[in-house]
PDB file of all heavy atoms in Angstrom:
ATOM      1  N   ALA V  19       0.837  -1.206   0.000  1.00 92.00           N
ATOM      2  CA  ALA V  19       0.000   0.000   0.000  1.00 92.00           C
ATOM      3  C   ALA V  19       0.869   1.251   0.000  1.00 92.00           C
ATOM      4  O   ALA V  19       0.589   2.205  -0.740  1.00 92.00           O
ATOM      5  CB  ALA V  19      -0.926  -0.006   1.212  1.00 92.00           C
ATOM      6  N   LEU V  20       1.919   1.255   0.808  1.00 92.00           N
ATOM      7  CA  LEU V  20       2.817   2.403   0.841  1.00 92.00           C
ATOM      8  C   LEU V  20       3.519   2.591  -0.503  1.00 92.00           C
ATOM      9  O   LEU V  20       3.651   3.718  -0.992  1.00 92.00           O
ATOM     10  CB  LEU V  20       3.844   2.245   1.960  1.00 92.00           C
ATOM     11  CG  LEU V  20       3.276   2.299   3.382  1.00 92.00           C
ATOM     12  CD1 LEU V  20       4.361   1.992   4.408  1.00 92.00           C
ATOM     13  CD2 LEU V  20       2.640   3.644   3.655  1.00 92.00           C
ATOM     14  N   LEU V  21       3.921   1.487  -1.112  1.00 94.00           N
ATOM     15  CA  LEU V  21       4.537   1.564  -2.436  1.00 94.00           C
ATOM     16  C   LEU V  21       3.540   2.109  -3.462  1.00 94.00           C
ATOM     17  O   LEU V  21       3.874   2.964  -4.281  1.00 94.00           O
ATOM     18  CB  LEU V  21       5.043   0.189  -2.863  1.00 94.00           C
ATOM     19  CG  LEU V  21       5.687   0.127  -4.255  1.00 94.00           C
ATOM     20  CD1 LEU V  21       6.925   1.010  -4.310  1.00 94.00           C
ATOM     21  CD2 LEU V  21       6.009  -1.310  -4.608  1.00 94.00           C
ATOM     22  N   ALA V  22       2.301   1.642  -3.389  1.00 92.00           N
ATOM     23  CA  ALA V  22       1.264   2.115  -4.313  1.00 92.00           C
ATOM     24  C   ALA V  22       1.034   3.615  -4.135  1.00 92.00           C
ATOM     25  O   ALA V  22       0.906   4.351  -5.118  1.00 92.00           O
ATOM     26  CB  ALA V  22      -0.036   1.348  -4.100  1.00 92.00           C
ATOM     27  N   ILE V  23       1.012   4.075  -2.899  1.00 89.00           N
ATOM     28  CA  ILE V  23       0.797   5.497  -2.635  1.00 89.00           C
ATOM     29  C   ILE V  23       1.940   6.327  -3.213  1.00 89.00           C
ATOM     30  O   ILE V  23       1.716   7.371  -3.834  1.00 89.00           O
ATOM     31  CB  ILE V  23       0.613   5.752  -1.121  1.00 89.00           C
ATOM     32  CG1 ILE V  23      -0.756   5.221  -0.686  1.00 89.00           C
ATOM     33  CG2 ILE V  23       0.765   7.225  -0.778  1.00 89.00           C
ATOM     34  CD1 ILE V  23      -0.960   5.190   0.806  1.00 89.00           C
ATOM     35  N   LEU V  24       3.172   5.855  -3.047  1.00 92.00           N
ATOM     36  CA  LEU V  24       4.322   6.582  -3.600  1.00 92.00           C
ATOM     37  C   LEU V  24       4.284   6.618  -5.125  1.00 92.00           C
ATOM     38  O   LEU V  24       4.498   7.664  -5.743  1.00 92.00           O
ATOM     39  CB  LEU V  24       5.624   5.943  -3.124  1.00 92.00           C
ATOM     40  CG  LEU V  24       5.985   6.181  -1.666  1.00 92.00           C
ATOM     41  CD1 LEU V  24       7.222   5.357  -1.282  1.00 92.00           C
ATOM     42  CD2 LEU V  24       6.232   7.647  -1.405  1.00 92.00           C
ATOM     43  N   VAL V  25       3.996   5.477  -5.734  1.00 94.00           N
ATOM     44  CA  VAL V  25       3.968   5.406  -7.197  1.00 94.00           C
ATOM     45  C   VAL V  25       2.835   6.258  -7.761  1.00 94.00           C
ATOM     46  O   VAL V  25       3.026   7.022  -8.714  1.00 94.00           O
ATOM     47  CB  VAL V  25       3.859   3.935  -7.671  1.00 94.00           C
ATOM     48  CG1 VAL V  25       3.566   3.852  -9.157  1.00 94.00           C
ATOM     49  CG2 VAL V  25       5.141   3.186  -7.331  1.00 94.00           C
ATOM     50  N   VAL V  26       1.667   6.160  -7.170  1.00 93.00           N
ATOM     51  CA  VAL V  26       0.521   6.932  -7.662  1.00 93.00           C
ATOM     52  C   VAL V  26       0.744   8.427  -7.431  1.00 93.00           C
ATOM     53  O   VAL V  26       0.367   9.250  -8.272  1.00 93.00           O
ATOM     54  CB  VAL V  26      -0.799   6.434  -7.031  1.00 93.00           C
ATOM     55  CG1 VAL V  26      -1.958   7.346  -7.397  1.00 93.00           C
ATOM     56  CG2 VAL V  26      -1.088   5.015  -7.471  1.00 93.00           C
ATOM     57  N   SER V  27       1.392   8.790  -6.342  1.00 91.00           N
ATOM     58  CA  SER V  27       1.707  10.201  -6.106  1.00 91.00           C
ATOM     59  C   SER V  27       2.607  10.745  -7.209  1.00 91.00           C
ATOM     60  O   SER V  27       2.367  11.831  -7.739  1.00 91.00           O
ATOM     61  CB  SER V  27       2.372  10.379  -4.746  1.00 91.00           C
ATOM     62  OG  SER V  27       1.471  10.061  -3.710  1.00 91.00           O
ATOM     63  N   ALA V  28       3.634   9.987  -7.553  1.00 94.00           N
ATOM     64  CA  ALA V  28       4.531  10.413  -8.641  1.00 94.00           C
ATOM     65  C   ALA V  28       3.773  10.469  -9.962  1.00 94.00           C
ATOM     66  O   ALA V  28       3.977  11.377 -10.772  1.00 94.00           O
ATOM     67  CB  ALA V  28       5.719   9.450  -8.748  1.00 94.00           C
ATOM     68  N   TRP V  29       2.868   9.526 -10.176  1.00 95.00           N
ATOM     69  CA  TRP V  29       2.070   9.475 -11.399  1.00 95.00           C
ATOM     70  C   TRP V  29       1.167  10.711 -11.497  1.00 95.00           C
ATOM     71  O   TRP V  29       1.017  11.296 -12.568  1.00 95.00           O
ATOM     72  CB  TRP V  29       1.262   8.186 -11.421  1.00 95.00           C
ATOM     73  CG  TRP V  29       0.395   7.983 -12.602  1.00 95.00           C
ATOM     74  CD1 TRP V  29       0.782   7.598 -13.853  1.00 95.00           C
ATOM     75  CD2 TRP V  29      -1.029   8.136 -12.662  1.00 95.00           C
ATOM     76  NE1 TRP V  29      -0.317   7.494 -14.672  1.00 95.00           N
ATOM     77  CE2 TRP V  29      -1.441   7.822 -13.960  1.00 95.00           C
ATOM     78  CE3 TRP V  29      -1.999   8.506 -11.724  1.00 95.00           C
ATOM     79  CZ2 TRP V  29      -2.765   7.874 -14.357  1.00 95.00           C
ATOM     80  CZ3 TRP V  29      -3.315   8.549 -12.117  1.00 95.00           C
ATOM     81  CH2 TRP V  29      -3.693   8.238 -13.420  1.00 95.00           C
ATOM     82  N   VAL V  30       0.578  11.123 -10.390  1.00 94.00           N
ATOM     83  CA  VAL V  30      -0.284  12.312 -10.376  1.00 94.00           C
ATOM     84  C   VAL V  30       0.539  13.549 -10.742  1.00 94.00           C
ATOM     85  O   VAL V  30       0.112  14.371 -11.568  1.00 94.00           O
ATOM     86  CB  VAL V  30      -0.976  12.494  -9.006  1.00 94.00           C
ATOM     87  CG1 VAL V  30      -1.571  13.890  -8.860  1.00 94.00           C
ATOM     88  CG2 VAL V  30      -2.054  11.442  -8.810  1.00 94.00           C
ATOM     89  N   VAL V  31       1.718  13.692 -10.149  1.00 94.00           N
ATOM     90  CA  VAL V  31       2.582  14.832 -10.472  1.00 94.00           C
ATOM     91  C   VAL V  31       2.906  14.820 -11.959  1.00 94.00           C
ATOM     92  O   VAL V  31       2.828  15.857 -12.641  1.00 94.00           O
ATOM     93  CB  VAL V  31       3.870  14.805  -9.617  1.00 94.00           C
ATOM     94  CG1 VAL V  31       4.876  15.831 -10.108  1.00 94.00           C
ATOM     95  CG2 VAL V  31       3.540  15.028  -8.147  1.00 94.00           C
ATOM     96  N   TYR V  32       3.253  13.656 -12.486  1.00 97.00           N
ATOM     97  CA  TYR V  32       3.557  13.513 -13.917  1.00 97.00           C
ATOM     98  C   TYR V  32       2.358  13.918 -14.772  1.00 97.00           C
ATOM     99  O   TYR V  32       2.498  14.669 -15.741  1.00 97.00           O
ATOM    100  CB  TYR V  32       3.970  12.069 -14.221  1.00 97.00           C
ATOM    101  CG  TYR V  32       3.838  11.694 -15.671  1.00 97.00           C
ATOM    102  CD1 TYR V  32       4.778  12.112 -16.613  1.00 97.00           C
ATOM    103  CD2 TYR V  32       2.753  10.928 -16.112  1.00 97.00           C
ATOM    104  CE1 TYR V  32       4.646  11.774 -17.956  1.00 97.00           C
ATOM    105  CE2 TYR V  32       2.618  10.587 -17.438  1.00 97.00           C
ATOM    106  CZ  TYR V  32       3.563  11.014 -18.359  1.00 97.00           C
ATOM    107  OH  TYR V  32       3.425  10.683 -19.680  1.00 97.00           O
ATOM    108  N   ARG V  33       1.168  13.416 -14.437  1.00 96.00           N
ATOM    109  CA  ARG V  33      -0.022  13.692 -15.251  1.00 96.00           C
ATOM    110  C   ARG V  33      -0.364  15.182 -15.254  1.00 96.00           C
ATOM    111  O   ARG V  33      -0.712  15.734 -16.303  1.00 96.00           O
ATOM    112  CB  ARG V  33      -1.228  12.889 -14.743  1.00 96.00           C
ATOM    113  CG  ARG V  33      -1.097  11.381 -14.798  1.00 96.00           C
ATOM    114  CD  ARG V  33      -1.524  10.808 -16.081  1.00 96.00           C
ATOM    115  NE  ARG V  33      -2.943  10.956 -16.330  1.00 96.00           N
ATOM    116  CZ  ARG V  33      -3.578  10.309 -17.287  1.00 96.00           C
ATOM    117  NH1 ARG V  33      -2.952   9.458 -18.064  1.00 96.00           N
ATOM    118  NH2 ARG V  33      -4.864  10.515 -17.492  1.00 96.00           N
ATOM    119  N   VAL V  34      -0.279  15.828 -14.110  1.00 96.00           N
ATOM    120  CA  VAL V  34      -0.578  17.258 -14.046  1.00 96.00           C
ATOM    121  C   VAL V  34       0.469  18.039 -14.833  1.00 96.00           C
ATOM    122  O   VAL V  34       0.129  18.906 -15.650  1.00 96.00           O
ATOM    123  CB  VAL V  34      -0.668  17.754 -12.582  1.00 96.00           C
ATOM    124  CG1 VAL V  34      -0.759  19.271 -12.517  1.00 96.00           C
ATOM    125  CG2 VAL V  34      -1.869  17.115 -11.877  1.00 96.00           C
ATOM    126  N   ALA V  35       1.743  17.725 -14.634  1.00 97.00           N
ATOM    127  CA  ALA V  35       2.814  18.452 -15.323  1.00 97.00           C
ATOM    128  C   ALA V  35       2.763  18.225 -16.837  1.00 97.00           C
ATOM    129  O   ALA V  35       2.850  19.180 -17.620  1.00 97.00           O
ATOM    130  CB  ALA V  35       4.173  18.028 -14.767  1.00 97.00           C
ATOM    131  N   ARG V  36       2.619  16.970 -17.257  1.00 97.00           N
ATOM    132  CA  ARG V  36       2.597  16.685 -18.695  1.00 97.00           C
ATOM    133  C   ARG V  36       1.387  17.334 -19.369  1.00 97.00           C
ATOM    134  O   ARG V  36       1.492  17.914 -20.459  1.00 97.00           O
ATOM    135  CB  ARG V  36       2.587  15.187 -18.942  1.00 97.00           C
ATOM    136  CG  ARG V  36       2.590  14.880 -20.430  1.00 97.00           C
ATOM    137  CD  ARG V  36       2.728  13.418 -20.716  1.00 97.00           C
ATOM    138  NE  ARG V  36       2.805  13.220 -22.163  1.00 97.00           N
ATOM    139  CZ  ARG V  36       2.312  12.191 -22.782  1.00 97.00           C
ATOM    140  NH1 ARG V  36       1.731  11.221 -22.090  1.00 97.00           N
ATOM    141  NH2 ARG V  36       2.404  12.080 -24.081  1.00 97.00           N
ATOM    142  N   GLY V  37       0.240  17.230 -18.736  1.00 97.00           N
ATOM    143  CA  GLY V  37      -0.961  17.823 -19.308  1.00 97.00           C
ATOM    144  C   GLY V  37      -0.855  19.326 -19.442  1.00 97.00           C
ATOM    145  O   GLY V  37      -1.186  19.903 -20.488  1.00 97.00           O
ATOM    146  N   TRP V  38      -0.377  19.975 -18.395  1.00 97.00           N
ATOM    147  CA  TRP V  38      -0.273  21.434 -18.423  1.00 97.00           C
ATOM    148  C   TRP V  38       0.762  21.877 -19.450  1.00 97.00           C
ATOM    149  O   TRP V  38       0.586  22.873 -20.141  1.00 97.00           O
ATOM    150  CB  TRP V  38       0.086  21.944 -17.039  1.00 97.00           C
ATOM    151  CG  TRP V  38      -0.459  23.312 -16.739  1.00 97.00           C
ATOM    152  CD1 TRP V  38      -1.127  24.152 -17.591  1.00 97.00           C
ATOM    153  CD2 TRP V  38      -0.391  23.999 -15.494  1.00 97.00           C
ATOM    154  NE1 TRP V  38      -1.466  25.316 -16.950  1.00 97.00           N
ATOM    155  CE2 TRP V  38      -1.035  25.241 -15.654  1.00 97.00           C
ATOM    156  CE3 TRP V  38       0.140  23.682 -14.256  1.00 97.00           C
ATOM    157  CZ2 TRP V  38      -1.143  26.166 -14.624  1.00 97.00           C
ATOM    158  CZ3 TRP V  38       0.023  24.597 -13.234  1.00 97.00           C
ATOM    159  CH2 TRP V  38      -0.612  25.827 -13.412  1.00 97.00           C
ATOM    160  N   TRP V  39       1.840  21.124 -19.561  1.00 98.00           N
ATOM    161  CA  TRP V  39       2.882  21.442 -20.537  1.00 98.00           C
ATOM    162  C   TRP V  39       2.325  21.368 -21.960  1.00 98.00           C
ATOM    163  O   TRP V  39       2.540  22.253 -22.781  1.00 98.00           O
ATOM    164  CB  TRP V  39       4.034  20.458 -20.390  1.00 98.00           C
ATOM    165  CG  TRP V  39       5.284  20.831 -21.133  1.00 98.00           C
ATOM    166  CD1 TRP V  39       5.386  21.176 -22.451  1.00 98.00           C
ATOM    167  CD2 TRP V  39       6.594  20.898 -20.614  1.00 98.00           C
ATOM    168  NE1 TRP V  39       6.682  21.430 -22.781  1.00 98.00           N
ATOM    169  CE2 TRP V  39       7.452  21.264 -21.669  1.00 98.00           C
ATOM    170  CE3 TRP V  39       7.136  20.653 -19.367  1.00 98.00           C
ATOM    171  CZ2 TRP V  39       8.821  21.403 -21.495  1.00 98.00           C
ATOM    172  CZ3 TRP V  39       8.495  20.795 -19.206  1.00 98.00           C
ATOM    173  CH2 TRP V  39       9.309  21.171 -20.262  1.00 98.00           C
ATOM    174  N   ARG V  40       1.596  20.297 -22.258  1.00 97.00           N
ATOM    175  CA  ARG V  40       1.020  20.146 -23.601  1.00 97.00           C
ATOM    176  C   ARG V  40      -0.050  21.203 -23.859  1.00 97.00           C
ATOM    177  O   ARG V  40      -0.197  21.680 -24.976  1.00 97.00           O
ATOM    178  CB  ARG V  40       0.485  18.733 -23.799  1.00 97.00           C
ATOM    179  CG  ARG V  40       1.633  17.725 -23.961  1.00 97.00           C
ATOM    180  CD  ARG V  40       1.146  16.338 -24.285  1.00 97.00           C
ATOM    181  NE  ARG V  40       0.469  16.251 -25.563  1.00 97.00           N
ATOM    182  CZ  ARG V  40       1.057  15.948 -26.717  1.00 97.00           C
ATOM    183  NH1 ARG V  40       2.353  15.738 -26.772  1.00 97.00           N
ATOM    184  NH2 ARG V  40       0.349  15.853 -27.828  1.00 97.00           N
ATOM    185  N   LEU V  41      -0.787  21.576 -22.836  1.00 97.00           N
ATOM    186  CA  LEU V  41      -1.778  22.643 -22.982  1.00 97.00           C
ATOM    187  C   LEU V  41      -1.085  23.954 -23.353  1.00 97.00           C
ATOM    188  O   LEU V  41      -1.548  24.683 -24.229  1.00 97.00           O
ATOM    189  CB  LEU V  41      -2.589  22.809 -21.699  1.00 97.00           C
ATOM    190  CG  LEU V  41      -3.600  23.951 -21.690  1.00 97.00           C
ATOM    191  CD1 LEU V  41      -4.696  23.723 -22.716  1.00 97.00           C
ATOM    192  CD2 LEU V  41      -4.191  24.119 -20.295  1.00 97.00           C
ATOM    193  N   ALA V  42       0.022  24.238 -22.697  1.00 97.00           N
ATOM    194  CA  ALA V  42       0.761  25.468 -22.993  1.00 97.00           C
ATOM    195  C   ALA V  42       1.243  25.487 -24.446  1.00 97.00           C
ATOM    196  O   ALA V  42       1.320  26.551 -25.058  1.00 97.00           O
ATOM    197  CB  ALA V  42       1.952  25.612 -22.044  1.00 97.00           C
ATOM    198  N   ASP V  43       1.529  24.308 -24.997  1.00 96.00           N
ATOM    199  CA  ASP V  43       1.950  24.206 -26.397  1.00 96.00           C
ATOM    200  C   ASP V  43       0.769  24.025 -27.352  1.00 96.00           C
ATOM    201  O   ASP V  43       0.966  23.785 -28.540  1.00 96.00           O
ATOM    202  CB  ASP V  43       2.919  23.023 -26.572  1.00 96.00           C
ATOM    203  CG  ASP V  43       4.267  23.277 -25.912  1.00 96.00           C
ATOM    204  OD1 ASP V  43       4.625  24.459 -25.709  1.00 96.00           O
ATOM    205  OD2 ASP V  43       4.968  22.296 -25.601  1.00 96.00           O
ATOM    206  N   GLU V  44      -0.448  24.099 -26.807  1.00 95.00           N
ATOM    207  CA  GLU V  44      -1.691  23.927 -27.569  1.00 95.00           C
ATOM    208  C   GLU V  44      -1.729  22.593 -28.309  1.00 95.00           C
ATOM    209  O   GLU V  44      -2.151  22.510 -29.466  1.00 95.00           O
ATOM    210  CB  GLU V  44      -1.911  25.102 -28.519  1.00 95.00           C
ATOM    211  CG  GLU V  44      -2.103  26.414 -27.793  1.00 95.00           C
ATOM    212  CD  GLU V  44      -2.450  27.575 -28.714  1.00 95.00           C
ATOM    213  OE1 GLU V  44      -2.477  27.397 -29.952  1.00 95.00           O
ATOM    214  OE2 GLU V  44      -2.729  28.657 -28.174  1.00 95.00           O
TER     215      GLU V  44
END
């Protein structure tokens, strides 16, 4: 469970950053 929380936390950061980056590039 702790491993899942760490991995999913990193995944959330990635998804927000990647999405916002691509949005900025339209």
Side-chain angles (χ1 to χ4, degrees):
L20 293 174
L21 179 62
I23 288 170
L24 287 174
V25 169
V26 173
S27 294
W29 180 77
V30 165
V31 170
Y32 160 77
R33 298 272 294 193
V34 171
R36 181 174 183 214
W38 210 355
W39 192 309
R40 287 185 64 92
L41 176 65
D43 290 337
E44 296 185 356

